[in-house]
Amino acid sequence: SFLVDVFDGSSWINVFSRSTDDCGRWNDPNCIGNFPKATLNISAYANANCRVRFTYHDGNDWGWYVGIDNVVVISPPSNDLGVSEIIGPISGCGYANEPVQIKIKNLGATAVSSFDVSFNSNNGAQLVTETINTPIAAQDSLIYTFSGLINLTTTGTYNLQAYTTLSADSIASNDTTSSIIESDPTFTPTYSEDFETPNHNWSIGGSRSSWERGVPTNTIINTAAGGQNAFVTDLNGSYNSAELSYLTSPCLDFSSSTLDPILSFNLIHQLEGNNLDRAWVEYSTNNGASWSKLLASNAFTPQNWYNNTTTQNWSGANS
């Protein structure tokens, strides 16, 4: 177990405890570059002789590990305001002039009101500044949507920055938050892609992703279904431990379609057994804001669809 105690002037008070792994075993790739962080409010124990104590106990059994780094103890300043999150827009397609929504956090010890908030894209190519007169209590947040819009009409990558401007702000380093937005092209079916050229418009995401486009050379997948290239979870090896990754198509516009769309593709897989590892298809109808699993239709019997009909996914191995 791992404990954090604070001395309140007369006794030690426990304020944090952990008895499970934060990121996995010592050799788990999830731990690399992923040092967990905790932030604790110890204001109730502030005194002239305050101290912090870290305790590790191995249970008189196996000796494992604990690491401590970058300890900071602060007293919040009176005025400290910043943008903590850019809520939208997110990467998607069919964009034109879109609203920008952000979350503003009052990190200070007193309420604030009457301050400016701004966003710009691609290093100032589009700049919008607006004034907010709504009070934000200390340590509280406000969701704000700009009346000015960001122009995402041109397909490409946009570096969006949002920041606050408060004259009395004593910590300027946390005023700004950035996000990358991909404005993707839209395709009208019939659509096909064989991944033979680099400009395929498909994107990779998720955590611990091993998706690669190219010539497969690993033991199980050593050729493409057609041509030379395919998307594979590691072209010359295995997918990653604890991987939850996505390969996402560009946007498809069915607004002029009169019949149900049909999806077909070549798939080869060898996954860890007992349904521990799995794969499936999802779809989104709101520009990627939410996703649903593509299930077998009652009106159309799919060919070679999920081999695990209980959990609706592919598992095990196929030929």
Side-chain angles (χ1 to χ4, degrees):
S1 57
F2 169 70
L3 308 174
V4 181
D5 300 322
V6 179
F7 188 69
D8 67 356
S10 59
S11 60
W12 289 95
I13 308 298
N14 179 250
V15 295
F16 183 85
S17 65
R18 179 77 73 188
S19 59
T20 58
D21 290 344
D22 276 303
C23 62
R25 295 181 179 274
W26 67 272
N27 60 349
D28 190 327
N30 280 326
C31 294
I32 301 173
N34 187 33
F35 211 114
K37 181 180 180 179
T39 301
L40 308 173
N41 185 345
I42 61 172
S43 57
Y45 316 107
N47 65 88
N49 298 302
C50 185
R51 303 181 72 182
V52 177
R53 180 176 69 187
F54 301 109
T55 302
Y56 168 64
H57 179 51
D58 70 358
N60 296 321
D61 193 4
W62 294 95
W64 288 107
Y65 53 85
V66 161
I68 302 294
D69 197 10
N70 299 328
V71 177
V72 178
V73 181
I74 65 169
S75 179
S78 295
N79 296 288
D80 184 16
L81 192 67
V83 175
S84 61
E85 180 184 0
I86 297 177
I87 300 173
I90 60 175
S91 294
C93 58
Y95 281 137
N97 293 299
E98 305 297 329
V100 175
Q101 188 175 65
I102 61 174
K103 184 177 183 180
I104 303 167
K105 176 75 173 181
N106 181 3
L107 301 164
T110 60
V112 297
S113 61
S114 189
F115 57 91
D116 287 345
V117 62
S118 307
F119 76 78
N120 71 73
S121 68
N122 295 342
N123 299 318
Q126 302 179 57
L127 176 62
V128 172
T129 299
E130 298 175 4
T131 300
I132 297 178
N133 293 308
T134 303
I136 308 177
Q139 301 300 311
D140 203 357
S141 299
L142 172 70
I143 304 297
Y144 180 74
T145 302
F146 286 87
S147 58
L149 305 176
I150 182 173
N151 186 349
L152 302 176
T153 304
T154 303
T155 299
T157 302
Y158 294 80
N159 181 7
L160 176 61
Q161 290 185 321
Y163 55 92
T164 56
T165 303
L166 178 69
S167 59
D169 196 324
S170 57
I171 303 178
S173 60
N174 59 10
D175 294 351
T176 304
T177 294
S178 301
S179 68
I180 300 297
I181 302 171
E182 296 286 346
S183 181
D184 297 326
T186 302
F187 296 89
T188 302
T190 298
Y191 168 83
S192 64
E193 176 59 65
D194 58 9
F195 305 123
E196 291 303 306
T197 60
N199 56 339
H200 45 74
N201 295 302
W202 288 61
S203 60
I204 296 170
S207 61
R208 308 273 308 133
S209 177
S210 63
W211 285 102
E212 293 180 313
R213 174 200 157 271
V215 179
T217 59
N218 64 38
T219 303
I220 303 300
I221 306 176
N222 51 32
T223 185
Q228 304 237 333
N229 296 311
F231 259 110
V232 182
T233 50
D234 200 325
L235 289 169
N236 57 6
S238 302
Y239 53 76
N240 292 320
S241 175
E243 179 169 347
L244 179 60
S245 62
Y246 317 111
L247 176 65
T248 306
S249 77
C251 298
L252 303 169
D253 183 3
F254 294 108
S255 59
S256 60
S257 299
T258 57
L259 300 177
D260 290 338
I262 297 175
L263 170 69
S264 64
F265 55 94
N266 291 104
L267 172 68
I268 183 173
H269 60 83
Q270 184 173 44
L271 307 170
E272 186 174 359
N274 297 320
N275 210 34
L276 295 175
D277 291 352
R278 59 193 76 172
W280 64 88
V281 177
E282 295 179 336
Y283 66 93
S284 173
T285 58
N286 55 10
N287 225 354
S290 61
W291 293 85
S292 301
K293 184 179 287 187
L294 183 59
L295 306 177
S297 169
N298 291 329
F300 176 76
T301 302
Q303 297 180 17
N304 302 322
W305 204 237
Y306 300 136
N307 61 5
N308 191 322
T309 56
T310 302
T311 53
Q312 293 284 308
N313 55 257
W314 290 288
S315 61
N318 68 349
S319 57

